[in-house]
Amino acid sequence: MIRKRLSKLGAFFLFLVSLLPFWLLYIVSDILFIFLYYIFSYRKAIVRENLRNAFPEKSEVERLVIERKYFKYLADLVMESIKSISISKKEVQRRMVPINPELIEHYFSQGKSIIAAAGHYCNWEMATLSFGFLTDKRRVIVYKTQSNIIFNDFFNRTRSRFGATMVAMKQTLRKMIEYKNELTFTVLVSDQTPIRGEVNYFTMFLNQPTAVFLGIEKLTKVTDCVVIFYRIDYIKRGYYTYTLVPLVENPKQTKPYEITDIHVRYLETLIREKPQYWLWSHRRWKVKPESAIK
């Protein structure tokens, strides 16, 4: 009961913080960066290990530059994500600008639904809100259920408030079959880590064998959806563009694991271009090939 009340108070506090203007949130972000990086050293050892393994060709100085830029952006990301709780549609449209939204109608006019791979790259939370008004057809966001039910429901309400349908990861296939007679645009975050008992495939990603979910590939093979990548690019503080990048138009003609390798390679290319915008503090490589249960 106490934990439930604390969770509700925490959610309410986040809502109040989200009402602050961007200029003030960025002042808070600058202070948060100092605490994260210099005082608490938040997951700094994890970040350094991940960067060292991903970029062995870079010098220690080069990796430290990326590290500091990452923590600076992480602080911004935290505050921008909180702002997403109450941000207006008009403000989202001003700060998250689509480059080629016409691609959606291009595929829909052919009677093809779309599945988009995305990564924990740039502000995926604001992109989630923008996704909500890309089309008037059904928009589906696949999410990984959080252990805290109150926060799980709170963030699902936030992410879906512009019209998107939230679907838990384990229910995705059933829901996609349910929606098979309508055109849908579905987004899945592709760089999450499966638990050991669910690992079925490893691929090379950022110089390391990496366990990956096969959900995108399985869904597209069943539904024959077009596969695209939901690419987000940082323009300046608080402003982004996103581009819908076609990856696979005929999934049933692909070889096993081909679709998975394609979207993983694309994300890797994006990260190598500007590595400071990916989530380096995540324990992405905690599952090793020798420890996975097949």
Side-chain angles (χ1 to χ4, degrees):
M1 180 63 73
I2 294 176
R3 184 177 179 182
K4 184 176 181 181
R5 287 179 179 176
L6 288 175
S7 295
K8 287 183 176 180
L9 284 173
F12 181 66
F13 174 74
L14 290 177
F15 172 74
L16 292 179
V17 174
S18 77
L19 299 177
L20 297 175
F22 270 97
W23 66 267
L24 184 52
L25 287 172
Y26 286 129
I27 292 177
V28 177
S29 175
D30 291 339
I31 298 171
L32 179 61
F33 163 67
I34 294 172
F35 276 88
L36 288 175
Y37 192 67
Y38 293 107
I39 298 176
F40 296 132
S41 293
Y42 172 74
R43 293 197 170 191
K44 192 180 285 187
I46 296 172
V47 173
R48 287 185 177 176
E49 180 183 4
N50 286 342
L51 287 172
R52 184 170 56 251
N53 292 337
F55 302 115
E57 75 283 0
K58 293 185 182 296
S59 68
E60 184 177 353
V61 172
E62 288 175 313
R63 290 195 295 266
L64 286 173
V65 170
I66 296 171
E67 173 187 297
R68 191 177 186 281
K69 287 182 178 179
Y70 166 69
F71 276 98
K72 189 72 175 68
Y73 180 68
L74 179 62
D76 277 2
L77 179 62
V78 169
M79 302 315 299
E80 289 175 8
S81 297
I82 293 174
K83 184 64 178 178
S84 296
I85 295 168
S86 64
I87 193 171
S88 68
K89 178 179 178 180
K90 182 178 180 180
E91 192 72 8
V92 174
Q93 290 174 319
R94 193 167 72 88
R95 291 175 175 273
M96 184 67 68
V97 180
I99 298 300
N100 59 340
E102 68 279 358
L103 189 72
I104 300 170
E105 293 307 319
H106 168 73
Y107 288 124
F108 281 174
S109 67
Q110 300 175 26
K112 295 182 176 181
S113 289
I114 302 168
I115 288 182
H120 287 100
Y121 187 86
C122 284
N123 192 333
W124 64 87
E125 290 290 351
M126 193 185 295
T128 297
L129 295 179
S130 180
F131 171 69
F133 39 81
L134 269 177
T135 174
D136 58 356
K137 301 295 191 296
R138 186 182 293 277
R139 292 134 289 163
V140 177
I141 297 173
V142 177
Y143 69 94
K144 193 173 184 179
T145 305
Q146 298 182 42
S147 57
N148 187 305
I149 297 175
I150 292 174
F151 276 105
N152 187 75
D153 293 344
F154 177 73
F155 285 111
N156 280 350
R157 287 197 302 272
T158 297
R159 292 162 180 163
S160 62
R161 63 193 182 91
F162 293 132
T165 300
M166 303 299 296
V167 174
M169 188 179 291
K170 292 185 177 181
Q171 300 175 2
T172 308
L173 183 57
R174 180 174 64 82
K175 284 293 183 180
M176 294 303 291
I177 293 173
E178 181 181 325
Y179 302 147
K180 66 179 180 179
N181 294 323
E182 55 181 304
L183 293 171
T184 57
F185 187 176
T186 302
V187 172
L188 296 91
V189 176
S190 62
D191 56 354
Q192 299 186 81
T193 305
I195 62 175
R196 285 181 174 82
E198 296 179 355
V199 175
N200 294 303
Y201 183 62
F202 282 85
T203 189
M204 291 301 293
F205 174 62
L206 292 171
N207 201 48
Q208 301 157 85
T210 306
V212 292
F213 280 109
L214 297 175
I216 293 175
E217 180 159 343
K218 290 178 179 178
L219 287 172
T220 53
K221 291 289 184 73
V222 171
T223 61
D224 202 30
C225 291
V226 172
V227 184
I228 67 171
F229 195 93
Y230 200 87
R231 172 179 178 143
I232 310 167
D233 286 290
Y234 181 94
I235 304 303
K236 63 180 181 178
R237 203 174 200 184
Y239 291 86
Y240 306 85
T241 62
Y242 61 93
T243 307
L244 308 176
V245 182
L247 296 181
V248 181
E249 294 188 332
N250 299 293
K252 290 188 175 181
Q253 297 178 15
T254 59
K255 300 175 183 178
Y257 309 120
E258 182 179 352
I259 293 173
T260 300
D261 286 338
I262 288 172
H263 70 71
V264 169
R265 291 289 83 73
Y266 188 87
L267 175 60
E268 180 177 19
T269 300
L270 190 60
I271 293 169
R272 288 187 178 280
E273 288 176 8
K274 295 180 179 179
Q276 64 267 34
Y277 301 124
W278 191 60
L279 193 63
W280 292 102
S281 50
H282 174 48
R283 296 180 184 274
R284 184 63 185 88
W285 291 279
K286 60 185 176 182
V287 180
K288 307 293 185 181
E290 61 272 15
S291 65
I293 300 173
K294 294 296 183 103

